[in-house]
């Protein structure tokens, strides 16, 4: 079994000629064309070719990182707020029992 990786323009806009998988001197199990439109290589996973440029994935990763960072800051602010409110609730409670004025002694 073998696959053909078609020619492509890499990130530097240089034409890379097509090649067959597995490549000579490479892993014999790497029979599939993998990678992106601008970076192609042979691998053993038939579902590892993505029909967009590699830089798109980098920007997608940066977006995910920014989103997770914002979520972490919101979670941290929520935890700090809960801790401050708990401290204020505990510190403002009266430390002694209030006298209700009722006597509970037997007559």
């Amino acid at each position: 079994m073998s696959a053909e990786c078609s020619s492509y323009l890499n990130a530097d806009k240089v034409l890379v000629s097509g090649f067959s998988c597995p490549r000579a001197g490479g892993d014999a199990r790497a029979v599939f064309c993998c990678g992106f439109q601008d970076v192609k290589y042979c691998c053993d996973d038939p579902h590892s070719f993505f029909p967009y440029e590699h830089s798109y994935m980098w920007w997608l990763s940066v977006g995910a990182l920014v989103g997770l960072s914002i979520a972490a800051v919101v979670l941290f602010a929520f935890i700090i707020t809960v801790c401050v409110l708990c401290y204020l609730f505990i510190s403002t409670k009266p430390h002694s029992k209030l006298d209700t004025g009722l006597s509970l002694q037997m007559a």
Side-chain angles (χ1 to χ4, degrees):
M1 178 179 218
S2 67
E4 291 289 325
C5 285
S6 60
S7 60
Y8 61 95
L9 289 174
N10 65 10
D12 297 326
K13 304 300 181 204
V14 175
L15 181 66
V16 177
S17 59
F19 53 90
S20 294
C21 295
R23 293 185 107 163
D27 188 2
R29 296 174 295 168
V31 295
F32 300 102
C33 185
C34 300
F36 302 91
Q37 284 180 347
D38 57 348
V39 178
K40 293 182 182 178
Y41 55 91
C42 297
C43 72
D44 60 354
D45 184 8
H47 305 292
S48 291
F49 182 75
F50 305 101
Y52 33 79
E53 293 182 357
H54 183 258
S55 61
Y56 171 77
M57 290 299 291
W58 187 81
W59 280 110
L60 191 63
S61 298
V62 168
L65 185 62
V66 168
L68 288 173
S69 299
I70 291 171
V73 167
V74 169
L75 178 64
F76 184 69
F78 175 77
I79 290 171
I80 295 297
T81 303
V82 168
C83 290
V84 167
L85 290 175
C86 287
Y87 172 76
L88 290 175
F89 177 75
I90 291 171
S91 67
T92 58
K93 286 176 67 174
H95 296 290
S96 61
K97 287 189 173 189
L98 293 176
D99 183 18
T100 61
L102 298 176
S103 175
L104 299 176
Q105 294 178 358
M106 296 285 286

